[in-house]
Amino acid sequence: MKSADETAIAILAWLADEPDLLSRFLALTGTDPGSLRTAIGEPGFMGGLVAFLMDHEPTLIAFCAATQTRPEDVVRAHLVLSGASDFEDS
């Protein structure tokens, strides 16, 4: 099982190979390609990556299929990175 941060980084890596989806994510978040390096590791950005998938089931399913990630792992990462109380990332 991947940690929440590992899942978010896997999402970003997958988006890098999906230019249309990456462009949409960047537009929705107001992030430009040049600031991606500094944004990685910021909890809000990492949470935004996961929320991007959670907000669109076909994209979530495409990511899971392409990366052999269980949807439950994405949901777990979303809970951790969104600051859900009483939830630990172990």
Side-chain angles (χ1 to χ4, degrees):
M1 176 181 347
K2 294 178 185 171
S3 73
D5 286 343
E6 290 171 330
T7 299
I9 291 168
I11 293 167
L12 181 58
W14 178 73
L15 285 174
D17 289 332
E18 301 290 335
D20 291 339
L21 288 173
L22 180 60
S23 293
R24 184 168 180 259
F25 172 75
L26 294 175
L28 288 171
T29 61
T31 306
D32 63 77
S35 63
L36 280 177
R37 281 186 194 260
T38 57
I40 295 171
E42 293 179 18
F45 180 78
M46 301 293 269
L49 283 165
V50 180
F52 180 72
L53 292 191
M54 293 293 294
D55 289 344
H56 192 247
E57 186 176 357
T59 304
L60 169 64
I61 299 304
F63 165 76
C64 290
T67 63
Q68 290 78 49
T69 300
R70 297 178 323 150
E72 298 85 16
D73 290 341
V74 179
V75 171
R76 185 173 188 279
H78 181 65
L79 290 171
V80 170
L81 294 171
S82 68
S85 61
D86 300 322
F87 199 90
E88 292 183 23
D89 187 23
S90 52

